[in-house]
Amino acid sequence: MAIRTARPRNSEGRMSLGEHLVELRKRLTIIGVAILAAAVGGWFLADPVWAALSEPLRVVAEAQGRDATINYTAVTEAFDTKLVIALVLGVVIASPIWLYQLWAFIVPALHRREKQYAIGFLAAALPLFLAGCAAGWFVLPHIVELLTGFAAEGTATLLTAKFYLDFSLKLILAIGIGFVLPVVLVMLNFARVITGASILKAWRWAILTITVFTAFATPAADIMSMFLLAIPMVGLYYLAAGISVINDKRVAKREAALAAEYGIDAAPA
C-alpha cells in the first residue's frame, strides 16, 4: 500500500512559490464554492430584501405626495437585479469562511496563541460589519427622502432599478466596511506590521478620513446622520489603538524575558 507523505519544506519551514500558488488556488476554490452556495440561499431572500430596500421610495411618495417608483428599463433588468442581490447576500453570508481563508493564507506563520487571537478578530469583524450595514440601512431612508426632496413640485421620481440598487448597496456596504477597518488595524498590529503608537500618532488623519468618509456617505445637509456614523467609527478607531498598545507592551515584555533568559542585550542600539 502506497503511503502519501507531506511534501518536505526547507529548514526554515518556508513554502516554495509553487506551493504558495497551490495553497492560494485551494483557498480561492473554497471561497468561491462558499459564496456560490450562500448565493443560492440569497436568491430566495432577494425578493424581501429588495422590497425592504425599495421601502424608502414608498415613504417618499406618501410624504411628498408625488409619484416615486422604481422602473425596469431592460428586459433582463429584473433578473439582473435579483441576481446581484443574491450574490451580495452570498458574500455577506459566507463572510466568516472567506475572511478566515484570506487571513489563514496571509499569515500562516502565527503562533498558536496568535492564531487564537486571529480567530477572535474574525469573530469580531462579522458583527462589526453587520453593525455598519445596519447603520447604513438606518440612514438610507433619510438620504433618499432628503435627496429626492430637491425635485421640483409637480414632478415624479422615476428611478431605474439598476441605479437605485447600486446606490443602496454601495452606501450600505461602504459603511459596513468602514466599521471593520479597526479590526484590520488590530490584525496588522498582531502581525507586527504596525505598532499601537503609530496608530495613536495618526489620530488626526484618522478623524479627518472618517469625517470625509461619512460626509460622502451621507448628504451634506444631513449633519445628524453624519455624526451618528462618525462617532462610533472614531470610538472603534481608539479602541483598536488601545488594544494594539496593550499588545505591544505584552510583546515587549515577552521579548525582554526571552532576552534575559538567553543573556541577550535587548536594549535598542
Side-chain angles (χ1 to χ4, degrees):
M1 180 181 296
I3 301 176
R4 184 178 180 180
T5 59
R7 181 177 298 179
R9 300 183 181 181
N10 56 32
S11 58
E12 296 180 354
R14 296 178 179 177
M15 300 171 63
S16 66
L17 177 60
E19 290 173 326
H20 275 295
L21 293 176
V22 171
E23 180 75 7
L24 177 61
R25 183 181 64 182
K26 182 186 74 172
R27 296 195 181 278
L28 289 179
T29 300
I30 295 175
I31 290 173
V33 171
I35 291 177
L36 287 177
V40 173
W43 177 267
F44 297 99
L45 298 174
D47 289 337
V49 169
W50 182 229
L53 286 175
S54 307
E55 179 66 16
L57 283 181
R58 186 189 65 80
V59 176
V60 166
E62 294 179 355
Q64 301 178 7
R66 58 192 178 88
D67 291 336
T69 59
I70 294 178
N71 300 274
Y72 298 98
T73 58
V75 175
T76 61
E77 191 167 359
F79 173 80
D80 293 342
T81 300
K82 187 171 182 177
L83 181 62
V84 170
I85 294 175
L87 289 175
V88 172
L89 289 174
V91 172
V92 174
I93 295 172
S95 56
I97 297 176
W98 60 260
L99 280 172
Y100 173 78
Q101 293 297 327
L102 290 177
W103 177 250
F105 175 76
I106 294 173
V107 283
L110 291 180
H111 299 293
R112 180 178 179 181
R113 177 170 293 183
E114 291 171 335
K115 287 182 178 180
Q116 292 175 350
Y117 290 144
I119 295 175
F121 297 149
L122 295 177
L126 181 58
L128 283 175
F129 175 74
L130 295 178
C133 291
W137 190 284
F138 171 76
V139 300
L140 176 63
H142 303 285
I143 294 175
V144 172
E145 184 175 359
L146 177 66
L147 294 181
T148 56
F150 288 101
E153 186 176 353
T155 60
T157 300
L158 307 177
L159 303 177
T160 63
K162 182 179 184 303
F163 173 83
Y164 184 76
L165 179 63
D166 288 346
F167 172 80
S168 303
L169 291 181
K170 286 178 180 178
L171 173 69
I172 294 173
L173 293 178
I175 298 175
I177 293 172
F179 272 59
V180 176
L181 289 180
V183 178
V184 176
L185 290 177
V186 177
M187 290 169 65
L188 292 175
N189 173 261
F190 272 71
R192 310 298 298 276
V193 176
I194 58 177
T195 64
S198 64
I199 298 176
L200 280 177
K201 188 176 180 179
W203 69 269
R204 294 180 180 86
W205 288 105
I207 293 179
L208 176 62
T209 303
I210 291 172
T211 303
V212 172
F213 173 79
T214 54
F216 275 103
T218 58
D222 195 358
I223 303 298
M224 183 58 66
S225 296
M226 175 179 169
F227 278 107
L228 287 175
L229 290 178
I231 290 175
M233 292 180 69
V234 172
L236 289 171
Y237 175 82
Y238 278 108
L239 178 61
I243 294 175
S244 299
V245 169
I246 294 174
N247 177 61
D248 289 343
K249 292 181 179 179
R250 179 185 62 83
V251 172
K253 184 177 180 181
R254 184 179 63 188
E255 291 179 347
L258 288 174
E261 180 179 354
Y262 291 100
I264 303 173
D265 185 7

